[in-house]
């Protein structure tokens, strides 16, 4: 069969109307189509030949009794091949139909010359793919059966997924409502935050003003305290000097009541001098210049005991020192702190008993400090100062640090009530805290917490 005979007369007429290039391309397309039809006919002939061969093989297999099972399998294969042959007949009819459709398209391609070039290239690819598709057809049919089984499972899965989607849709609706509410709340919070930021800026400005005013007030207060204390010293010295002269030189001319009055004047002047000295000591603790030094606490305690040797001997005081640490402190302030605490213990000792003072020191790590709710996240040294004196009621543990506060009768115990105030101020200068514990008739304990490192 010649390929040229396959070209319809209507297309030949169109070819006669078109140019030579176009005719050549069109002839080439139909030659390829004719070749595909010939290939289909060859496949059909080969299939018939295979069937004859298969029939012969079936006759051979029937002679052997043991091949009964194989015959059944062969019969099944024959049935499958007949099915394939029927499918191939349908495919050939489909191919003829496609050829007719292509004839219609060829008439349309006269107008679409530019589109024809692209389509011709695509058809060449499709023709190549068609050869492969015929081979794939048998495999695809088998795959379709598998896919059908999988499709049943997939449908069940899809039904389950649809149910889950419906649940998710309901949850999403609830979530959207919640999200809308949250967005409204966020908008409210944003508006409140804008107002809060403005308020914070205003407060920071006010704090800066207050800080500047406080610095100025502290400087003025220090200046006032220092000047007042020094100005008070001079008339006080004259009162003490003249009252002392009267008692020494004119006491014989005075009545007993007059001598008593001058003694009261001298005693009051001495009390006032003590008060002025305490005020000066307190004002020194407010100085901003703080020079920390790393020093053994034993050395500070030894210096204080040496300076208070007469008082300690007079009272026959017992001081126990155990495990003192190397601390970072302001030495002169810490000497004042220990001196005030020892003086306080000597003053408030039990009647008819020797004062007994104990001083210890131990290291506290960050974990223990956090458990004790220390103000700084750092290591501390805890200096424990305790005595066995008259003690105090624990409800006054904070009041005893207030300036000029006294828990005891002024006639029985001398002092200005500023000593423990100075102690607390010195501890605060060291970025620490002090805790007072006491029990009436048992004694008092002061726990002083000082940071190990003073990098502030």
């Amino acid at each position: 069969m010649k390929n040229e005979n396959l070209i319809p007369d209507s297309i030949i007429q169109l070819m006669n109307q078109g140019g030579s290039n176009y005719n050549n391309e069109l002839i080439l397309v139909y030659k390829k189509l004719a070749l595909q039809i010939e290939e289909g006919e060859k496949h059909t002939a080969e299939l018939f030949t295979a069937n004859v061969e298969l029939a012969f093989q079936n006759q051979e297999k029937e002679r052997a009794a043991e091949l009964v099972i194989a015959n059944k399998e062969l019969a099944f294969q024959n049935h499958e091949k007949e099915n394939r042959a029927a499918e191939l007949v349908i495919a050939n009819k489909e191919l003829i139909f496609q050829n007719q459709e292509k004839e219609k398209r060829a008439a349309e391609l006269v107008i679409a010359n530019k589109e024809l070039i692209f389509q011709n290239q695509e058809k060449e690819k499709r023709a190549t793919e068609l050869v492969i598709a015929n081979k794939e057809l048998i495999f695809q049919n088998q795959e379709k059966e598998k896919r059908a089984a999988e499709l049943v499972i997939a449908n069940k899965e899809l039904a389950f997924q649809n149910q889950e989607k419906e649940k998710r849709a309901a949850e999403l609706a609830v979530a959207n409502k919640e999200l809308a509410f949250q967005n409204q709340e966020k908008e409210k919070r944003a508006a409140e935050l804008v107002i809060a930021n403005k308020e914070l800026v205003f407060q920071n400005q006010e704090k800066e003003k207050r800080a500047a005013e406080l610095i100025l007030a502290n400087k003025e207060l220090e200046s006032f305290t220092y000047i007042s204390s020094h100005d008070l010293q001079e008339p006080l010295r004259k009162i003490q000097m003249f009252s002392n002269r009267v008692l020494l030189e004119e006491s014989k001319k005075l009545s007993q009541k007059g001598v008593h009055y001058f003694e009261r004047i001298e005693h009051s002047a001495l009390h006032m001098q003590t008060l002025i000295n305490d005020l000066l000591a307190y004002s020194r603790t407010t100085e901003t210049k703080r020079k920390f030094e790393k020093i053994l606490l034993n050395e500070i305690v030894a210096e204080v005991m040496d300076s208070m040797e007469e008082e300690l001997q007079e009272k026959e005081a017992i001081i126990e020192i155990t495990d003192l640490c190397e601390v970072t402190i302001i030495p002169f302030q810490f000497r004042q702190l220990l001196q005030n605490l020892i003086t306080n213990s000597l003053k408030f000792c039990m009647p008819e008993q020797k004062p007994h003072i104990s001083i210890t020191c131990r290291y506290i790590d960050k974990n223990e400090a956090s458990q004790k709710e220390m103000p700084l996240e750092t290591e501390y040294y805890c200096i424990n100062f305790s005595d066995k004196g008259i003690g105090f009621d624990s409800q006054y543990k904070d009041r005893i640090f207030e300036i000029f506060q006294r828990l005891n009768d002024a006639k029985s115990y001398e002092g200005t009530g500023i000593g423990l105030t100075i102690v607390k101020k010195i501890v605060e200068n060291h970025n620490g805290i002090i805790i007072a514990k006491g029990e009436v008739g048992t004694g008092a304990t002061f726990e002083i917490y000082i940071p190990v490192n003073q990098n502030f």
Side-chain angles (χ1 to χ4, degrees), residues 168-180:
R168 294 297 86 77
E171 294 172 357
L172 186 60
V174 176
N176 286 335
K177 292 180 181 178
E178 179 67 20
L179 184 61

Side-chain angles (χ1 to χ4, degrees), residues 328-379:
T328 303
I329 57 174
I330 306 169
F332 83 91
Q333 287 193 8
F334 227 78
R335 279 192 291 269
Q336 181 71 45
L337 177 147
L338 289 172
Q339 184 173 331
N340 286 10
L341 287 177
I342 293 173
T343 301
N344 197 67
S345 295
L346 296 178
K347 185 190 303 182
F348 299 106
C349 65
M350 295 289 289
E352 307 301 328
Q353 289 186 11
K354 297 177 182 179
H356 191 283
I357 299 170
S358 175
I359 305 174
T360 62
C361 181
R362 70 184 184 91
Y363 169 80
I364 294 179
D365 59 21
K366 288 184 179 180
N367 184 41
E368 185 178 353
S370 64
Q371 292 176 357
K372 291 180 176 291
E373 298 182 352
M374 292 290 106
L376 302 174
E377 293 184 0
T378 185
E379 300 94 347

